[in-house]
Amino acid sequence: MKLTVNGVTHEIDAGLAEMRLLDWLREELGLTGAKAGCEIGACGACTVLVDGRPVKSCTRRLRDVAGKSVLTIEGLTPLDGSLHPLQQAFLDAGAVQCGFCTPGMILAAHALLLRNPAPARAEIRQALQGNLCRCTGYQQIIDAVELAAKSYQK
Ligand code: FES
Ligand code: FES
C-alpha cells in the first residue's frame, strides 16, 4: 500500500491498514500540524487535503487513502522558512489565537482558493463550515482568507 504525503511516497505495511490517517501522520511521520481535537469528525482540527480535498483525518483509515496524495500544513509551508500567503494572512488579519484550529482552517481555505481564487465571503464561510474555532472569531478568519485570495489570482 502506497501513500504520498507532501510529495514523498511512502510504502505502508498492510498491517497498518486500520490505523487512522491522523495517528499515522502524527506518530509515524512526526507531522503534528494536524491536531487531534474531537476525534469524531466534528471539529476539523485534523483536516488535511487528500487529492486536493479537505478530509478529516481522524475519520479515515490508511486503507481508505491508499494510493492517494495527502497535503498537510507542513507541506504547504515553504522550505525556506518563510510563510505561505495564507499563513501570513492569518497573522496579518489577527486570525490566530491558540492556533489549534489554524492548520485545518488554512488547508480548507487553500482547497477553496485553488478552485475559486475570488470567493465571496459567504463562499468562504461555507468552505470553512466544517472547521470550528473556539477563540478567534470567524470574521478575522474570513478576512484572512479574503486577504490571501489575491495571491491565488494570476
Ligand atoms: S479531530 Fe478530526 S474532526 Fe475533530
Ligand atoms: S485559534 Fe484557537 S481554536 Fe481557533
Side-chain angles (χ1 to χ4, degrees), residues 33-109:
K35 302 290 184 251
C38 67
E39 305 197 52
I40 55 168
C43 76
C46 64
T47 299
V48 298
L49 301 191
V50 176
D51 288 348
R53 297 190 175 186
V55 160
K56 291 170 178 168
S57 62
C58 71
T59 67
R60 295 292 194 285
R61 306 280 164 185
L62 288 175
R63 64 174 154 74
D64 300 326
V65 292
K68 298 186 186 294
S69 182
V70 174
L71 180 70
T72 73
I73 194 68
E74 291 88 350
L76 193 70
T77 307
L79 292 174
D80 64 4
S82 63
L83 294 177
H84 183 276
L86 263 169
Q87 294 172 313
Q88 187 63 54
F90 268 63
L91 288 180
D92 293 345
V96 182
Q97 284 197 39
C98 78
F100 199 78
C101 70
T102 310
M105 286 282 184
I106 286 180
L107 286 166

Side-chain angles (χ1 to χ4, degrees), residues 86 89 113 117 119-122 124 139-151 153:
L86 263 169
L113 293 176
R121 286 181 79 83
I124 298 171
Q139 298 307 320
Q140 294 97 311
I141 290 171
I142 293 168
D143 290 346
V145 178
E146 272 193 321
L147 198 58
K150 296 181 185 69
S151 69
Q153 297 163 11

Side-chain angles (χ1 to χ4, degrees), residues 113-135:
L113 293 176
L114 286 178
R115 68 170 197 276
N116 177 6
R121 286 181 79 83
E123 291 171 311
I124 298 171
R125 194 178 294 276
Q126 187 175 25
L128 299 181
Q129 66 184 358
N131 295 74
L132 304 183
C133 176
R134 296 199 181 272
C135 38

